[in-house]
Amino acid sequence: MATWSTLSFQNSSSPLMEQLIFFHDHTMLILIMITSLVAYMFFMLMMNSFTNRFLMEGQEIETIWTILPAIILIFIALPSLRLLYLLDEINTPSLTMKTIGHQWYWSYEYSDFNSLEFDSYMIPEESNELSTFRLLDVDNRTLIPIYTQMRILITASDVLHSWTVPALGVKADAVPGRLNQVSFTMNRPGLWFGQCSEICGANHSFMPIVLESVPHKPFISWLKTIL
């Protein structure tokens, strides 16, 4: 969960988010190298009192500053394309869940089980307990088994919403009349929080998302209590 002192990404809870963080660090390292080189050149130009009045062109330096950025872009593009393919849709998910955005709450439906659907509302501030998170906790948490390839089908019933869980590296628009799909695998148990990331009305800030990743046995026990 993000706090006021969180300046970087949240700790990842899925392999895809780990890869996103690795790519971010890789790109930032290249940007720091470029920024340092440009800053050094600016400093040397300001400190240098000599000028070449007869310099009209420089084929060598122009060739270098054309080829070098192309090579740098290749070093950024190749990991980016690899990551795009890793984030692509999967064909054989182990579990499918459908989530529907409403004004202003989320409803969930486990497509692999009959009659398993529920609504998830934010817990009102006056009903908060010490064990809950203000403006983030919900009355019905969504349980998901760990080490399971999940497919989430996302849509909306009224206006645009956005289903977002930063720790999973997942963000997809919920569009009325359209199904969007995201896939992920949770690699550790815990509570993962998200919020609607598309301005959807007066209570846009009050429709949080809470996923609880648990081992398979507690998940099956939870299913038995509901079905």
Side-chain angles (χ1 to χ4, degrees):
M1 182 181 68
T3 62
W4 63 271
S5 60
T6 303
L7 300 179
S8 184
F9 292 105
Q10 299 181 27
N11 293 330
S12 66
S13 59
S14 71
L16 294 180
M17 187 58 186
E18 290 179 0
Q19 294 298 320
L20 286 170
I21 294 175
F22 291 157
F23 176 70
H24 169 268
D25 296 341
H26 169 77
T27 307
M28 285 300 297
L29 179 61
I30 295 176
L31 292 178
I32 290 172
M33 293 171 59
I34 295 173
T35 305
S36 301
L37 177 61
V38 173
Y40 171 76
M41 294 176 65
F42 269 119
F43 178 76
M44 295 305 295
L45 285 173
M46 289 187 293
M47 298 300 294
N48 187 7
S49 59
F50 297 101
T51 58
N52 188 348
R53 294 182 299 156
F54 305 103
L55 179 62
M56 301 298 295
E57 63 175 356
Q59 297 293 338
E60 294 82 5
I61 190 64
E62 290 177 3
T63 303
I64 291 173
W65 72 41
T66 301
I67 295 178
L68 190 59
I71 296 174
I72 293 173
L73 288 176
I74 290 174
F75 276 94
I76 295 176
L78 291 180
S80 176
L81 292 173
R82 172 182 171 271
L83 186 55
L84 283 175
Y85 279 103
L86 287 176
L87 295 172
D88 201 5
E89 299 177 357
I90 58 172
N91 296 321
T92 56
S94 301
L95 192 62
T96 299
M97 184 177 70
K98 183 178 180 180
T99 177
I100 304 172
H102 304 269
Q103 288 182 313
W104 289 271
Y105 65 96
W106 296 97
S107 60
Y108 297 92
E109 176 185 335
Y110 288 81
S111 305
D112 299 312
F113 308 101
N114 292 328
S115 67
L116 180 49
E117 53 184 277
F118 56 88
D119 298 330
S120 181
Y121 290 87
M122 186 191 75
I123 297 177
E125 189 170 357
E126 59 272 11
S127 302
N128 276 347
E129 300 177 357
L130 292 177
S131 59
T132 60
F133 295 98
R134 176 181 174 270
L135 302 182
L136 278 179
D137 224 330
V138 295
D139 54 357
N140 289 317
R141 293 173 176 173
T142 307
L143 264 67
I144 293 178
I146 60 174
Y147 306 124
T148 301
Q149 188 66 50
M150 294 290 303
R151 175 174 62 186
I152 311 295
L153 303 176
I154 302 167
T155 187
S157 64
D158 36 46
V159 298
L160 287 176
H161 300 277
S162 184
W163 198 80
T164 307
V165 183
L168 298 175
V170 171
K171 182 179 185 294
D173 288 338
V175 183
R178 176 176 175 178
L179 282 178
N180 285 330
Q181 175 176 305
V182 295
S183 303
F184 59 85
T185 301
M186 289 187 170
N187 54 13
R188 57 196 178 105
L191 285 177
W192 315 110
F193 297 90
Q195 289 178 305
C196 176
S197 299
E198 188 75 38
I199 298 177
C200 56
N203 290 329
H204 155 69
S205 302
F206 306 104
M207 48 183 303
I209 302 160
V210 181
L211 301 182
E212 184 174 356
S213 56
V214 296
H216 289 83
K217 287 186 177 179
F219 177 74
I220 294 174
S221 300
W222 175 74
L223 290 178
K224 290 180 179 178
T225 60
I226 294 182
L227 295 176

